[in-house]
Amino acid sequence: VEGVSLETFRRRLAEEAPPLARLTAITCEDLPDCGERGFRIVASQDGAPPSLAITPDAAICAACAGEVVDPADRRYRHAFANCTGCGPRYAIITAVPYDRPNTTMAGFAMCPACRREYEDVRDRRHHAQPIACPQCGPRVWLHGHDGDGIAEAARLLHAGRIVAIKGLGGFHLAVRADDEAAVARLRSRKQRDAKPFAVMARDLATARSLAAFTAADATRLASSVAPIVLAPRHGVGVAASVAPGGDLLGVMLPYTAMHLLLLQAAPAVLVMTSANPAGEPLCHDNAEALQRLAGIADAFLLHDRDIARLLDDSVWLGETPLRRARGCVPDPIALACDRPLLALGGDLKAAVALAADGRCVLSEHLGDLENPAAFRNFLAATARLQELLRLPPAAVVVDLHPSYHGARHGRGLGLPVIAVQHHHAHAAACLAEHGHAGPALAVVCDGTGYGADGTVWGGEVLRLAGAGFERLDHLAPFALLGGDAGAAETWRPAVGLLHHAFGEEWPRLLPRPLDAETVAIARVRLPRAVRCSSLGRLFDGVAWLLGLGDVNRFEGEAAVAVEQAALRGRPGRQLAFDGLDHAPLVRGLLAGGDPADLALAFHEAVCDALAAAVLRHADDTVALSGGCFVNRLLLRGVQTRLAAAGRRVLTHHLVPPGDGGLALGQAAIAALSG
């Protein structure tokens, strides 16, 4: 082959890579002529070394979408249309290499027409492992109905009925989003009082009519990931009870042919929420769904392609991932690591990771491990990930918390154990995303994390260097009554804040009534209660003091209420910390005023205090991590102040700032520890 032809090939390889290709590097070397005169794909080798590169599931592409709505096409109304540029991957793979016999499509024999496409190197379905058509592929039906299942499901949705839909990585519960009574019925049956629902819109134009998406949001909505994207809602087309109490609406677009066909016939906007009783993993098997969802769904839209992995929908807010799942996993993240490591993350928003050979693979979102069913799923998912990647770990990395379910499991595996402090892992995850090994400063703010001193941390300024960290500063500790109850009932952190600010005089200064017995018990228990430096609990206490929230029915509800109030607030009111001591701020809150104005002043004071704490140190690079940085005002406020002072500010863009990113940070620290 002439040298110019090879150069053309090298250039075109970079410029014309397939849509789902991830080109990390091109290297060239001279080789002897081996006699080949064409391009061919050879059979996979069973003995090939394991690889951490498995392609995530990809939303239906424009070409496949056009075929399923074209009456002249042989895949017209085929609910499983895919090609090499789209379709299921991780959700259906059972082993590596990624060949059809190692997927849940193994039982569907290709018809002659599909076989020709599969074998034709010029066809876009060449070696598309899930290839199928109406003659040879999976089928869709409505349980108990003999006709067109998708059309009948659409009719029921128009009538306000709740339909359980088997999708790519699990079941959804769907109901028309503009029907208050139907949404209320879904909330009641699912036992989900207040947490917002996401919706699926028929197309991008419909999505834009629901919420104010930026250009970057719209690009992400229509990407191969096709996540739920949160944006300020317009207040039209969706019942208020879909997302009560906030300005954001979570919207996604149809990402499989079945969703596309359903949304063409159903109402243009559907609530599309995970099909599981509260706290439990997704349903993924037909028989299981018929049993577990019998008291929730009115009808069941089923198919006969098995689901190998439970995959929730990924969620994004601006540039920040809030949940990394379908479409994102198991994309590896670059991480220098010279031995296989298993990192088990935390117990909330759990995700595990395997790291080896310069890359780290995070699992899908696994839920909260307090739920026994979720913990069983965590065990199974951890085992499946190790089996899939064929990587027996040399060590296991766990959270420092002695009672975390995942950490206890890790300590019982018989492997060397590396325990990593919670907030250290948060900070390291942010640095790892950016390929920054340190040294660096980090501001880590969340609800709860087990501190190195045995207290509850959550408002920390750290310095990271190598595998170690130093706690430079933190929010002033205050008493947190009741352990886990302190994260649910906001009066508990509130009285701790009052006690810190006013000492034993605190009951006299309560801005809202508490019954005499509660006050008496609190008086006795406050002096010996666990100490807490958590910004998340500070937000909860402020919510109670301002009358904005009494309970957290879901994680962060009260903090969101404070943020929402601040978005309505008028600037001008002044509140301040003394360093990172919130006592003067609490005294200022009790001076009274409009709660929205005070909520805005509170945000400004927190941003001022955190930025000032960082600027007392000379380090140039600062990472912002922890679940509190989901708060848009907090993230933007701290980031702006630090950038204005000339600091390089790193934020999350690959893994969530909350506990869903912990495993990456744990693996990064363990890799540095040698």
Side-chain angles (χ1 to χ4, degrees):
V1 180
E2 297 294 331
V4 65
S5 299
L6 288 174
E7 174 55 30
T8 300
F9 175 75
R10 188 205 64 78
R11 176 178 54 79
R12 292 185 65 187
L13 184 65
E15 295 175 354
E16 302 175 28
L20 300 183
R22 301 290 185 354
L23 193 64
T24 56
I26 296 178
T27 58
C28 300
E29 60 179 304
D30 291 331
L31 296 172
D33 190 336
C34 62
E36 291 284 355
R37 292 294 178 265
F39 175 81
R40 60 196 177 98
I41 296 176
V42 299
S44 300
Q45 303 280 326
D46 282 342
S51 169
L52 297 190
I54 298 171
T55 308
D57 306 289
I60 186 169
C61 67
C64 288
E67 289 174 348
V68 301
V69 297
D70 180 1
D73 194 276
R74 77 182 192 91
R75 287 189 173 83
Y76 177 58
R77 295 191 63 76
H78 177 51
F80 303 91
N82 69 89
C83 66
T84 53
C86 71
R89 265 71 168 176
Y90 188 57
I92 64 170
I93 190 171
T94 57
V96 290
Y98 175 61
D99 290 329
R100 191 179 182 98
N102 292 334
T103 73
T104 59
M105 287 295 295
F108 298 93
M110 286 183 238
C111 67
C114 285
R115 174 63 66 180
R116 283 194 297 272
E117 293 171 332
Y118 182 83
E119 294 177 348
D120 185 353
V121 71
R122 297 161 299 180
D123 196 285
R124 79 172 200 278
R125 291 190 168 91
H126 179 54
H127 277 240
Q129 305 304 336
I131 188 173
C133 72
Q135 281 66 51
C136 65
R139 66 185 185 92
V140 179
W141 70 94
L142 191 75
H143 181 64
H145 179 77
D146 294 331
D148 185 327
I150 292 176
E152 180 62 16
R155 186 190 69 77
L156 292 171
L157 289 164
H158 274 290
R161 307 291 290 276
I162 299 168
V163 179
I165 300 169
K166 185 180 183 182
L168 181 71
F171 276 74
H172 283 112
L173 290 166
V175 75
R176 62 182 304 157
D178 60 352
D179 187 333
E180 286 281 5
V183 175
R185 192 159 55 250
L186 176 58
R187 284 202 177 278
S188 174
R189 293 183 187 179
K190 197 173 186 287
Q191 300 175 43
R192 184 162 161 172
D193 294 340
K195 190 175 182 180
F197 288 134
V199 302
M200 182 176 281
R202 180 176 294 164
D203 49 35
L204 186 56
T206 303
R208 288 187 182 279
S209 73
L210 303 175
F213 294 106
T214 65
D217 288 337
T219 298
R220 186 166 281 115
L221 270 171
S223 71
S224 64
V225 176
I228 297 168
V229 175
L230 297 171
R233 61 183 177 183
H234 293 319
V236 296
V238 171
S241 59
V242 168
D247 71 313
L248 297 176
L249 180 67
V251 184
M252 59 182 157
L253 297 179
Y255 55 83
T256 69
M258 188 170 78
H259 289 122
L260 183 71
L261 294 168
L262 180 65
L263 266 292
Q264 281 194 327
V269 185
L270 298 175
V271 167
M272 196 72 75
T273 188
S274 56
N276 56 305
E280 296 184 10
L282 287 168
C283 290
H284 72 289
D285 174 80
N286 291 344
E288 173 201 23
L290 290 170
Q291 179 183 14
R292 288 176 61 199
L293 304 177
I296 302 176
D298 299 312
F300 294 81
L301 186 63
L302 307 175
H303 63 72
D304 56 356
R305 184 178 69 197
D306 289 341
I307 295 169
R309 275 167 187 77
L310 296 176
L311 294 173
D312 286 282
D313 297 306
S314 294
V315 183
W316 289 75
L317 174 59
E319 297 300 313
T320 306
L322 305 188
R323 184 167 70 202
R324 191 173 184 269
R326 176 192 51 78
C328 295
V329 296
D331 248 1
I333 296 169
L335 181 69
C337 183
D338 59 5
R339 58 175 172 158
L341 296 167
L342 172 63
L344 296 181
D347 272 13
L348 298 178
K349 295 180 170 61
V352 302
L354 274 174
D357 301 325
R359 289 180 288 183
C360 183
V361 173
L362 268 77
S363 76
E364 60 273 23
H365 168 82
L366 300 174
D368 296 345
L369 303 189
E370 282 290 335
N371 183 284
F375 182 67
R376 289 192 296 272
N377 182 51
F378 158 84
L379 297 177
T382 303
R384 284 196 302 265
L385 189 65
Q386 293 175 78
E387 291 166 5
L388 182 65
L389 300 179
R390 291 186 283 173
L391 272 175
V396 61
V397 198
V398 301
D399 192 274
L400 195 63
H401 199 299
S403 299
Y404 268 9
H405 299 284
R408 286 206 302 264
H409 168 68
R411 292 187 182 98
L413 291 177
L415 294 169
V417 176
I418 302 168
V420 175
Q421 198 278 325
H422 189 90
H423 302 93
H424 185 196
H426 273 308
C430 188
L431 295 181
E433 285 192 32
H434 295 270
H436 188 91
L441 293 180
V443 180
V444 187
C445 299
D446 63 2
T448 300
Y450 188 81
D453 59 359
T455 66
V456 176
W457 290 8
E460 314 304 312
V461 179
L462 310 177
R463 175 180 285 123
L464 278 68
F469 79 99
E470 180 184 2
R471 190 188 192 199
L472 300 177
D473 211 341
H474 54 84
L475 289 181
F478 59 97
L480 182 63
L481 290 173
D484 290 343
E489 300 173 303
T490 60
W491 69 266
R492 294 175 180 272
V495 299
L497 294 171
L498 292 171
H499 182 261
H500 175 75
F502 298 104
E504 297 306 317
E505 293 297 309
W506 69 266
R508 188 174 57 81
L509 296 158
L510 283 167
R512 302 176 59 201
L514 283 176
D515 66 79
E517 183 179 3
T518 297
V519 171
I521 293 172
R523 273 186 182 276
V524 173
R525 292 183 177 174
L526 275 170
R528 58 177 184 267
V530 65
R531 312 302 290 176
C532 163
S533 63
S534 161
L535 182 61
R537 299 292 83 82
L538 176 60
F539 264 88
D540 289 344
V542 168
W544 189 86
L545 294 173
L546 296 181
L548 297 172
D550 290 348
V551 294
N552 280 311
R553 291 170 292 181
F554 58 89
E555 186 185 14
E557 182 181 10
V560 169
V562 178
E563 181 188 10
Q564 291 297 310
L567 291 169
R568 303 189 301 269
R570 297 165 298 182
R573 185 67 182 265
Q574 299 296 314
L575 295 171
F577 284 71
D578 179 6
L580 285 178
D581 188 345
H582 37 74
L585 179 141
V586 170
R587 296 185 191 111
L589 288 174
L590 295 195
D594 182 273
D597 297 346
L598 291 169
L600 177 58
F602 167 69
H603 275 81
E604 294 293 326
V606 171
C607 293
D608 286 342
L610 291 175
V614 168
L615 296 175
R616 287 193 278 273
H617 306 279
D619 307 68
D620 290 331
T621 300
V622 186
L624 305 182
S625 191
C628 288
F629 283 108
V630 170
N631 182 310
R632 291 159 287 168
L633 294 177
L634 183 67
L635 177 64
R636 186 165 59 243
V638 176
Q639 188 175 18
T640 299
R641 287 162 172 79
L642 294 177
R647 301 302 173 90
R648 178 191 179 205
V649 183
L650 305 180
T651 61
H652 285 272
H653 66 285
L654 293 179
V655 301
D659 286 6
L662 279 176
L664 173 62
Q666 291 172 343
I669 293 162
L672 289 169
S673 68

